[in-house]
Amino acid sequence: MSLIYIRQAAKNDLEQIMPIIDEAKKFLKEEGNPQWQSDYPNVETITADIEEGVAWVLIVDQKIAGYTAITDGPDPNYKKVDGKWNNDLDPYVAIHRVAISDEYRGMHIYDDSVNVLTNFSVFPVQIEKLADFAAVSPAQPKNTIVPNVDLNMF
């Protein structure tokens, strides 16, 4: 099983982060997405994120697999918007500059929120198949394993 976690990025992570940013730029271009097709984000942008304490890296088995910047508002990028915010009073966070290494793209790396692993390859199927492992009962048992997931009993 892989060890997966996030941590704040440090300056010495730059040499691993920048190739991931470059891979993401190439991926976006190949997908026809005009975003990130200039010199943004660049090493100065990522360095500023690190210095401001908003840079985070995804670690998979002790290797940097992804990057993002997470800021808590108010975000200067959202001072001018085309339209009007429904709510500009509540606090919020903004997630910027999300990039995943080509090596990990499409792997659907995420937390197992129910702490149950089965022999099914993808997590959504695991959640769906939890009902197969429920006890047989003449009455619908209370779902104490995963209260927020409907289990269809037989």
Side-chain angles (χ1 to χ4, degrees), residues 6-49:
I6 61 169
R7 67 164 170 78
Q8 275 195 298
K11 283 186 181 182
N12 63 352
D13 293 326
L14 271 172
E15 65 184 47
Q16 293 177 69
I17 293 170
M18 293 316 298
I20 293 171
I21 297 294
D22 292 339
E23 290 172 0
K25 287 179 179 183
K26 182 180 178 218
F27 175 77
L28 290 170
K29 184 176 185 174
E30 289 170 355
E31 293 294 310
N33 188 326
Q35 196 170 18
W36 290 15
Q37 297 310 302
S38 64
D39 188 39
Y40 172 89
N42 55 32
V43 70
E44 290 81 13
T45 307
I46 306 306
T47 300
D49 287 346

Side-chain angles (χ1 to χ4, degrees), residues 59-131:
I59 306 295
V60 178
D61 294 329
Q62 306 304 315
K63 183 177 179 182
I64 294 178
Y67 174 83
T68 192
I70 303 173
T71 62
D72 56 351
D75 189 315
N77 293 297
Y78 300 140
K79 290 287 184 199
K80 295 181 182 178
V81 294
D82 184 18
K84 185 177 185 301
W85 290 108
N86 288 334
N87 178 346
D88 59 0
L89 301 175
D90 288 336
Y92 63 91
V93 297
I95 301 171
H96 297 287
R97 296 178 283 288
V98 177
I100 301 295
S101 167
D102 286 348
E103 183 178 347
Y104 298 94
R105 185 173 291 114
M107 292 182 71
H108 306 283
I109 300 170
Y110 38 78
D111 184 31
D112 177 1
S113 59
V114 294
N115 296 318
V116 175
L117 293 176
T118 66
N119 292 326
F120 300 101
S121 59
V122 293
F123 187 72
V125 174
Q126 291 183 31
I127 294 296
E128 179 183 324
K129 294 296 183 178
L130 278 175

